Amino acid sequence: MPNEPLRVVVAKPGLDGHDRGAKVIARALRDAGVEAIYTGLHQTPAQIVTTAIQEDADDIGLSVLSGAHMTLFTEVVDLLREAEALDIVVFGGGIIPDVDIKALLERGVAALFTPGTSTQEVVEWVTTKMRPEHGAHA
């Protein structure tokens, strides 16, 4: 459908209880015309992937501030692979060291945003960088 909005599941995996950033990103995406679905706190990677598949999401945006980003981001990508749903693009943010950013990008995470990134930058990436990759939405 030519004018169908992008659908993004915004999720907080693991035990991290700090969700203000995830809520701000979800709201900024909605304001830009993206259908953003916030899953709430303490989601398992399996719950996130199931939600993304059920919601026919284009992308999953993960927020991890707990330091468990290597495990959680990787598990989400691995579960998408197992479900043959790698057309769902994973991006995220949090406190992630540069060395881990490189490793996560190599493992299939499309983009990572660290503290200080503006909401506009994230919205611009989702709406301009992702739309061409999702030809059905272009």
Side-chain angles (χ1 to χ4, degrees):
M1 307 229 172
N3 293 323
E4 185 177 318
L6 288 168
R7 294 179 66 118
V8 178
V9 168
V10 178
K12 285 293 298 182
L15 300 177
D16 177 11
H18 300 91
D19 66 347
R20 183 173 183 202
K23 288 178 178 178
V24 168
I25 293 298
R27 176 55 146 232
L29 289 169
R30 283 187 203 115
D31 289 348
V34 174
E35 190 172 332
I37 302 147
Y38 176 60
T39 63
L41 290 169
H42 310 302
Q43 299 293 297
T44 67
Q47 289 171 316
I48 294 164
V49 168
T50 298
T51 299
I53 291 169
Q54 288 175 346
E55 293 289 342
D56 195 26
D58 297 298
D59 310 311
I60 296 172
L62 299 173
S63 172
V64 177
L65 300 172
S66 66
H69 49 270
M70 292 301 294
T71 301
L72 295 169
F73 278 77
T74 300
E75 190 170 347
V76 168
V77 172
D78 289 347
L79 289 169
L80 286 170
R81 183 176 295 108
E82 288 174 21
E84 297 181 2
L86 285 176
D87 58 322
I88 300 173
V89 175
V90 177
F91 70 94
I95 301 170
I96 306 170
D98 290 342
V99 66
D100 291 347
I101 289 174
K102 183 178 183 214
L104 288 169
L105 294 174
E106 290 171 355
R107 292 181 182 174
V109 176
L112 291 161
F113 302 96
T114 55
T117 302
S118 72
T119 56
Q120 185 57 39
E121 186 177 342
V122 176
V123 168
E124 184 176 309
W125 184 84
V126 170
T127 59
T128 61
K129 302 281 194 256
M130 295 314 306
R131 192 160 292 279
E133 292 181 22
H134 295 287
H137 302 287

